[in-house]
């Protein structure tokens, strides 16, 4: 998508030096637009863990490129040693964030590609091809999600001619969370390009404020009308018919349709159900965890540093980026990063292959190769 | 309650000069403990509007003292002029915050007291007596709420011997929101004094962060174990049996039991219902609006300055209080301060006269004088 009118992806190989991966360092948004050079898999692991980049699709793509970087520097003296180095790199990458399934998925895909090769040289080349394929597919799948989601917005627009369709989203499942387009935002961008009047309620999304910092910024850069709200507001808006549709992304979806997403998603799903507002989850198929059936019980929920709750960063009046303490010094905090929304609260899943209801039979109708 | 071991109310007449009202200026908590002198009704109106003090009971008490301050300086040359000055003062106070009913209630109570008097001198003395009575009753009613709420916590404690009762609260319905004890916190403080093991999940409560700034601070000052969480977390905790009881306060309750409270309360009530967690609202009877039946439709919801959403204040590492911008400069924001939780989601109301279910018949059984 566009940044000050110029097209960017969130991750790419440096134009004049393909041994360097470049990313948008999202920690500085919306105040500064910083591009970071990543040279090694260790640097990539830090970038994922410390959230220079984040979001289901993007950390999958980052893991893909991380494996490629590991392959660049692994000894090619014999096949077993090379493979072992890549397995270690995969282990390092997989442990950076526990909830998002895309990390595991990308690492496994790289290892499968490598195992099919004979020589370390072929293996190394396979990691390059696979990293590029993961990124390109992520972008293309998100574009497809946009096309499949667009009719949902069109249908609402036809019921209220001349008025904007009000869409609420939580966290950032925008292009900054993927390689391009985003999952939850893809239908929004598709509707905007189709000149359907839309307006997006952007949940601030505590902690880390990915809605206020990232979603608001990327919608603003594309020119999409939006309004920032704190996470507490969505229920009130829905009670007063001010939300036509909720679309969120996901970090992991079980084969039965339970959805792990940024903490607080479950509360919005409850409010949507209570007010008969359609609640959709947009995801590329890389986000499915085909091994799980009971999301609330079985999806591991990451707990992060409590400083994300007790402190906040932003720009002072003097233009300096400053971190402030919000809370009493002695008060302990807890920081659960995700929650699980049970399938029963979800109107539908928007995938690259189309829309289905959030239940195993419907999901497997779209992805029959996952029947086991 | 205690501040560094010394007992305070939130509002009082200055010890050596009863023409001055003193308040805790809550804008500086938890970083600084500041006492402000209020000399005039105009200063009191600003203190209410700009939230030097806030909370249902406390702004009622503040309005009571504001009327007293107005009476101190109103001309006593004739009864009508004096009365008119007080009516103007009441008008000024009532328009400071639209949602909380206690403001109106306190102003009307002062005007009734004044109307029953003959001379301006008697009238002025009546405002003094009434202001003190409102404050004393508020404290006493909150103490009674604590006694009535205590058995709820005791009963849970008996079902899980040796383990802490986990109570979640939203915003600050603590002693800082009243004159003393608080509404939602009164049963918590009563349980703590009765040596029942308890632990409080404190919702940060965006915007303005009254949970993080005020509830955490006051619980910490009394020594009550607590953990700060962002507003998004409560649903996840309830899904995992980590909350035994929710207690919140209220800014206005209809005669049918619909509850206006800080924005986001409705979302917690939905999560409580979805997970069979008891959800109680604690309030002194001054919070009832006996004229309303349809809360979602009829309770006016205050919209405040959007800077409360886009900016945040706190303490820098260097110890300075600083305000930072959190969001993209061009992104608009909206700031709805309250929402309404329908009575159907509420397990019970804890009042100074006892506990009742949130429906008109049960409420009127406790307050039969309000049958009309």
């Amino acid at each position: 998508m566009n940044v000050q009118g110029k097209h960017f992806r969130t991750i790419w190989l440096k134009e004049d030096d393909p041994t360097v991966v470049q990313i948008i360092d999202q920690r500085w948004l919306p105040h500064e637009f910083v591009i970071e050079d990543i040279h090694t898999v260790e640097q990539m692991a830090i970038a994922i863990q410390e959230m220079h980049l984040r979001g289901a699709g993007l950390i999958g793509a980052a893991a893909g490129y991380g494996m490629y970087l590991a392959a660049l520097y692994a000894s090619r003296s014999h096949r077993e040693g090379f493979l072992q180095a890549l397995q270690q790199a995969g282990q390092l990458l997989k442990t950076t964030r526990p909830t998002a399934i895309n990390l595991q998925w990308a690492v496994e895909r790289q290892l499968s590609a490598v195992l099919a090769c004979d020589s370390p040289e072929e293996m190394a080349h396979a990691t390059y091809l696979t990293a590029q394929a993961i990124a390109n597919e992520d972008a293309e799948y998100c574009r497809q999600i946009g096309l499949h989601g667009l009719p949902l917005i069109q249908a609402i627009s036809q019921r209220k001619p001349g008025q904007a369709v009000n869409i609420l989203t939580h966290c950032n499942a925008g292009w900054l969370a993927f390689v391009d387009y985003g999952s939850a935002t893809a239908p929004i961008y598709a509707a905007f390009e189709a000149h359907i009047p839309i307006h997006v309620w952007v949940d601030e999304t505590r902690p880390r404020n990915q809605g206020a910092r990232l979603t608001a910024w990327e919608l603003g850069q594309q020119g999409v009308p939006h309004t920032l709200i704190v996470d507490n507001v969505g229920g009130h808006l829905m009670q007063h018919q001010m939300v036509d549709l909720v679309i969120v992304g996901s970090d992991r979806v079980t084969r039965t349709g339970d959805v792990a997403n940024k903490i607080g998603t479950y509360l919005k799903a409850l409010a949507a159900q209570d007010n008969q507002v359609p609640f959709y989850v947009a995801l590329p198929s890389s986000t499915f965890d085909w091994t799980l059936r009971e999301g609330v019980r079985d999806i591991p929920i990451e707990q992060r540093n409590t400083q994300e709750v007790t402190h906040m960063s932003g720009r002072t009046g003097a233009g300096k980026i400053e971190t402030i303490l919000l809370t009493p010094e002695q008060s302990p905090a807890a920081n659960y990063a995700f929650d699980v929304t049970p399938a029963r609260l979800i109107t539908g899943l928007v995938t690259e292959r189309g829309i289905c209801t959030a239940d195993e039979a419907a999901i497997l109708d779209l992805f029959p190769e996952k029947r086991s």
Side-chain angles (χ1 to χ4, degrees), chain A:
Chain A
M1 303 300 290
N2 288 341
V3 179
Q4 289 164 1
K6 187 181 164 202
H7 180 262
F8 276 88
R9 283 186 167 187
T10 52
I11 191 166
W12 63 93
L13 291 180
K14 193 170 181 179
E15 202 175 339
D16 53 1
D17 181 0
T19 69
V20 176
V21 179
Q22 291 190 307
I23 64 169
I24 301 170
D25 185 346
Q26 303 186 14
R27 293 173 302 167
W28 304 97
L29 290 173
H31 308 296
E32 292 173 33
F33 182 72
V34 174
I35 290 172
E36 182 181 5
D37 286 358
I38 307 275
H39 299 270
T40 65
V41 65
E42 289 79 13
Q43 283 178 359
M44 187 66 88
I46 289 168
I48 297 171
Q49 187 146 32
E50 298 184 358
M51 295 179 70
H52 307 197
L53 49 75
R54 22 62 57 205
L58 178 51
I59 61 180
Y65 282 115
M67 294 293 279
Y68 158 71
L69 290 173
L72 281 184
Y73 299 101
S75 160
R76 300 185 187 184
S77 58
H78 60 94
R79 189 179 185 279
E80 280 315 300
F82 185 85
L83 190 59
Q84 204 176 10
L86 280 195
Q87 279 164 338
Q88 278 174 7
Q91 216 37 52
L92 173 68
L93 290 165
K94 283 201 284 188
T95 53
T96 50
R97 303 282 312 273
T99 300
I101 189 73
N102 298 60
L103 262 182
Q104 292 178 35
W105 170 88
V107 166
E108 298 303 335
R109 182 162 163 180
Q110 281 282 25
L111 291 175
S112 298
V114 158
L115 280 169
C117 300
D118 290 325
S119 69
E121 281 68 31
E122 281 176 61
M123 288 167 139
H125 189 61
T127 64
Y128 165 80
L129 293 176
T130 305
Q132 295 283 66
I134 289 171
N136 289 335
E137 275 177 29
D138 184 84
E140 174 57 19
Y141 285 3
C142 283
R143 199 180 68 82
Q144 295 288 342
I145 287 168
L147 299 180
H148 291 301
L150 175 58
L152 296 173
I153 300 173
Q154 269 168 331
I156 295 166
S157 185
Q158 282 159 9
R159 288 201 304 270
K160 46 187 287 192
Q163 293 175 67
V165 177
N166 287 300
I167 302 166
L168 184 140
T169 192
H170 188 67
C171 198
N172 175 262
W175 75 273
L176 290 171
F178 290 86
V179 173
D180 211 345
Y181 304 102
S183 60
T185 52
I188 291 169
Y189 290 135
F192 184 66
E193 284 195 14
H195 304 290
I196 298 172
I198 54 171
H199 166 258
V200 183
W201 295 108
V202 179
D203 271 4
E204 168 185 50
T205 320
R206 292 277 295 141
R208 295 196 70 90
N209 298 39
Q210 290 100 329
R213 295 194 303 107
L214 305 180
T215 305
W217 180 79
E218 65 164 271
L219 290 173
Q221 288 289 333
Q222 320 313 312
V224 177
H226 64 281
T227 304
L228 260 169
I229 48 175
V230 299
D231 303 311
N232 285 325
V233 172
H236 170 75
L237 296 178
M238 293 187 216
Q239 282 179 319
H240 292 272
Q241 293 79 49
M242 295 163 78
V243 179
D244 297 302
L245 176 68
V246 182
I247 314 181
V248 298
S250 174
D251 298 84
R252 190 186 300 216
V253 178
T254 64
R255 64 188 290 131
T256 54
D258 293 340
V259 167
N261 192 40
K262 174 77 180 191
I263 190 83
T265 302
Y266 167 53
L267 296 171
K268 294 298 140 62
L270 287 167
Q273 188 196 47
D274 200 45
N275 295 284
Q276 296 90 49
V277 174
F279 185 95
Y280 283 89
V281 179
L283 68 149
S285 55
S286 53
T287 301
F288 280 110
D289 183 340
W290 300 104
T291 68
L292 295 186
R293 292 174 179 279
E294 293 272 351
V296 174
R297 191 187 66 194
D298 293 336
I299 297 177
I301 299 298
E302 177 177 3
Q303 290 191 57
R304 296 184 57 84
N305 194 313
T306 58
Q307 285 224 347
E308 295 183 354
V309 176
T310 57
H311 291 68
M312 184 102 74
S313 293
R315 204 175 65 193
T316 66
K320 192 180 151 210
I321 303 296
E322 180 72 88
T323 299
I324 56 175
L325 170 70
L326 307 172
T327 59
E329 258 171 281
Q330 275 82 31
S331 286
N335 183 9
Y336 297 89
F338 301 91
D339 64 20
V340 175
T341 301
R344 65 183 153 86
L345 299 175
I346 296 165
T347 311
L349 305 175
V350 188
T351 77
E352 74 270 15
R353 293 197 193 165
I355 297 179
C356 66
T357 53
D359 64 69
E360 187 166 2
I363 293 168
L364 291 178
D365 280 348
L366 274 188
F367 297 92
E369 71 275 22
K370 299 298 178 183
R371 288 207 171 93
S372 57

